[in-house]
Each structure stands twice: as structure tokens, then as C-alpha cells.
Amino acid sequence: MRPPLTLELLATSKEVREVRRELRAYLGGPCADLQLCASELLTNVIRHLGEGVPVTVRVSCAQDRTRLEITDPDPRALPVLCPAADEDAETGRGLALLDALALRWGVDQGADTKTVWCETEAIHDGSRDMAASGEAIGQ
């Protein structure tokens, strides 16, 4: 099992692209669903808290799940899943995408932070195939 990935950064459009690249490198290959979830969560921070807000991105892998967490410094600005204003609206679908792609998602509030997290199916690469598929000795 690989150690968790932790990235400390400022939420900017450029960093959204960099996080997607880092996720692919960390997981050793394609991870489009996880990359899209990360993009949506970071974009929400930029949209609702502002450009340049400090965030922590954490990714961890368990046998059957990959967990993504985005922590920001505003425990009051909570994400709410709601329909887009109308079918032509250019915004308002990010959490619906997250909800559709993730196995589950939620929010953990701290005194001075909040963490929005989601879990997707485990992402398999060549180094994890046996353990991830349950074929390791003794299983």
C-alpha cells in the first residue's frame, strides 16, 4: 500500500491543473473520475472563498477505495447539493457531478476549517493489482 499524498497549495486555476497532474502521477495512470472530483472541489473553493485561499489536498488508497480530501480555512461555507438554476446555467453542476462519480462524499467541520471529501472505487495500477483484487496470499 502506498503512503497518502498531501499537497499544500493556494487554490488557483493553475493549481487545479497541477493537482490533476499530481493525482495521475501518484496513482500511476488514468484516474479521470478522481481528477474531475478534485477539479470540482477546488473550483468550489475558488468560486466561494476566493482565488489564492490556502488548501490542503489529501489522497489515500485503501483496498477498495480511493479517498480525496480538500481542506480549506472556512468552516461556515458548506457545499450544498442542489439542481442548477436552469438547463442553460453555466454553473451549479459541480456537486451533482461529484455525487454521480463518488461512491460517497461528505463534509467534516473543524473549529477553523472544513474538509470536503469523497471516495471513489480503488484505482488500480500495476504495482497494486494483486492486493487490490484480493488475490494476495491469505485472502
Side-chain angles (χ1 to χ4, degrees), residues 29-46:
C31 55
D33 287 356
L34 191 67
Q35 288 173 309
L36 182 55
C37 290
S39 293
E40 291 302 328
L41 292 177
L42 285 169
T43 299
N44 277 351
V45 171
I46 295 166

Side-chain angles (χ1 to χ4, degrees), residues 64-137:
D64 64 342
R65 305 260 168 117
T66 299
R67 183 177 175 103
L68 168 71
E69 300 176 351
I70 309 282
T71 301
D72 70 57
D74 190 342
R76 298 164 296 144
L78 298 176
V80 177
L81 177 62
C82 55
D86 64 55
E87 65 185 42
D88 295 326
E90 293 184 17
T91 62
R93 293 179 182 82
L95 288 177
L97 282 170
L98 180 78
D99 192 57
L101 294 172
L103 298 171
R104 62 188 198 126
W105 69 277
V107 181
D108 295 330
Q109 281 183 282
D112 298 322
T113 64
K114 78 167 165 302
T115 300
V116 183
W117 57 268
C118 66
E119 294 177 349
T120 63
E121 290 185 21
I123 296 163
H124 305 286
D125 67 9
S127 66
R128 298 192 322 138
D129 282 343
M130 282 184 51
S133 66
E135 296 172 8
I137 296 174

Side-chain angles (χ1 to χ4, degrees), residues 15-26 35:
E15 290 293 345
V16 172
R17 290 188 301 274
E18 182 63 21
V19 166
R20 287 193 305 257
R21 190 191 65 73
E22 290 280 345
L23 290 175
R24 184 176 175 93
Y26 170 72
Q35 288 173 309

